[in-house]
Amino acid sequence: MSEEILDEIEEVFAEDSEIEESEPVQAGSISDEELDKIADTAIALLEDILKYMSVGEVTINEYEGDEGELILDITGDDLAILIGRHGKTLDALQFIVSSATSRTMGYRYPVVVDVEGYKARQREKLESIAFSAANRAARQGRNVKLRPMPPYERRIIHVALADRSDVTTMSEGEGANRRVVVIPN
C-alpha cells in the first residue's frame, strides 16, 4: 500500500469526521473491559492493514501513555515503509486506525500508532519546539505560529504548554493547514 493510497483513504475519512473531532473519552471514565475492547478493535484493524504492506513479521505492543492514550507500538524488521517521509505514512495509518476504532466504538478514545518508538522521539522534538515558541512569544510579546501539524502533534504542543502561565495556545486553520498559535498572556 503506497503513501498515495493512504492519503486517499485519509481524505475519505476526513469527509465524515464528527467523532474524530469530538472530545475524547477520558481514560478514567471507561472500564477496563471497554479499554480492552478498544485495544482489540484497534489491533485487529492494524493487523489487517499491515497484511497488505509487505512489512514481514511484526509485533504490536500495547500500553497506556502518559496522557491516558492507548499506544500501539509496532516492532519488526525493516519498518521504514510504515513511517514514510517525515512520518506521513505513520500519520495516515494512525488516522485510519483511530477513526475506524472511533466509528466502531461510537466514541473517540485516543489511539496512537507508533513504529519502534519513532513518535516518542518526535514527541521530544515537538516539546522542545513548543517551549522555544512559548519563550519567544513571552519574550517578544507577540503570537508565534507553528508549522501546520496533524492533530496528534498539535495535541502534544497544547499539553506541553498547558501549565505555563505566561502563554496560552490555540489551533487555527483548516485541514492540512491547521496549526498551533502560541499567544503571550
Side-chain angles (χ1 to χ4, degrees):
M1 194 176 298
S2 69
E3 280 189 57
E4 293 82 21
I5 293 171
L6 290 173
D7 288 342
E8 288 178 32
I9 293 170
E10 184 174 348
E11 286 177 30
V12 170
F13 273 93
E15 292 172 5
D16 180 24
S17 60
E18 288 177 20
I19 292 174
E20 191 66 27
E21 292 296 323
S22 67
E23 280 298 311
V25 172
Q26 297 300 314
S29 65
I30 66 169
S31 69
D32 287 343
E33 183 178 289
E34 288 174 303
L35 185 56
D36 287 344
K37 186 173 180 187
I38 293 167
D40 291 345
T41 301
I43 289 170
L45 178 63
L46 187 54
E47 287 173 340
D48 285 346
I49 293 169
L50 293 177
K51 287 178 192 173
Y52 297 98
M53 297 191 71
S54 303
V55 292
E57 190 74 26
V58 299
T59 302
I60 301 172
N61 300 304
E62 135 196 11
Y63 55 96
E64 192 171 332
D66 295 338
E67 306 297 323
E69 70 273 22
L70 172 65
I71 299 175
L72 304 177
D73 190 24
I74 306 167
T75 57
D77 298 329
D78 195 27
L79 297 179
I81 189 171
L82 293 181
I83 297 172
R85 185 176 169 92
H86 302 294
K88 292 287 188 186
T89 303
L90 184 55
D91 289 342
L93 187 60
Q94 175 175 317
F95 184 84
I96 292 166
V97 171
S98 182
S99 295
T101 301
S102 295
R103 287 180 186 195
T104 300
M105 300 306 298
Y107 56 87
R108 187 165 74 94
Y109 188 88
V111 176
V112 175
V113 177
D114 199 357
V115 174
E116 296 182 336
Y118 173 83
K119 285 197 173 178
R121 293 186 300 277
Q122 291 303 104
R123 177 187 205 105
E124 290 174 9
K125 289 179 187 174
L126 288 168
E127 288 171 344
S128 176
I129 290 168
F131 296 136
S132 294
N135 292 338
R136 192 168 70 236
R139 186 178 60 250
Q140 295 176 355
R142 66 175 183 83
N143 294 355
V144 175
K145 293 182 179 184
L146 301 179
R147 66 172 169 76
M149 298 177 188
Y152 172 75
E153 291 182 0
R154 290 194 312 270
R155 183 172 186 265
I156 290 171
I157 301 291
H158 290 302
V159 169
L161 299 179
D163 293 335
R164 298 267 307 238
S165 61
D166 57 341
V167 296
T168 56
T169 60
M170 64 173 262
S171 291
E172 71 175 20
E174 297 294 323
N177 292 320
R178 196 149 171 87
R179 67 181 67 229
V180 174
V181 180
V182 181
I183 305 162
N185 286 336

